[in-house]
Amino acid sequence: MVEIIDAFVAGLPARMDALREAVDAGADDDAKRLAHQLKGAAGGYGFAPITVAAGELELAVGRGAGPEEPRALAARLIAVGERAR
């Protein structure tokens, strides 16, 4: 399990970059999908703060908030993800 969690944590920077790019580009479908995937993976590996932050971003993008709210939520999610590393 340690190897799987290490791989998840090692992959966070790339996931966060992709998420930031999608949010900045206004690619709502991509941002929502990436946030959803991150929410599920983080939950499965016990990273509750990432799960919560990704869920908030997914909901905001899904309800059409923006562009400032998704950017703020993505920045918060990225900060939480950096603490995991």
Side-chain angles (χ1 to χ4, degrees), residues 10 19 26 56 65 68 72 83:
L19 189 55
E56 291 172 353
E68 293 305 315
R83 287 196 310 245

Side-chain angles (χ1 to χ4, degrees), residues 2-55:
V2 171
E3 291 173 4
I4 295 170
I5 292 172
D6 285 346
F8 170 75
V9 171
L12 280 174
R15 285 178 179 235
M16 297 298 180
D17 286 345
L19 189 55
R20 179 185 304 128
E21 289 173 10
V23 168
D24 287 347
D28 290 348
D29 289 342
D30 290 339
K32 186 177 175 185
R33 177 183 49 79
L34 291 165
H36 180 79
Q37 289 172 347
L38 186 56
K39 178 183 76 173
Y45 297 129
F47 290 90
I50 294 174
T51 300
V52 170

Side-chain angles (χ1 to χ4, degrees), residues 31-32 35-36 39 52-65 69-70 73:
K32 186 177 175 185
H36 180 79
K39 178 183 76 173
V52 170
E56 291 172 353
L57 177 57
E58 178 186 15
L59 288 174
V61 172
R63 67 176 157 69
E69 184 180 1
L73 290 169

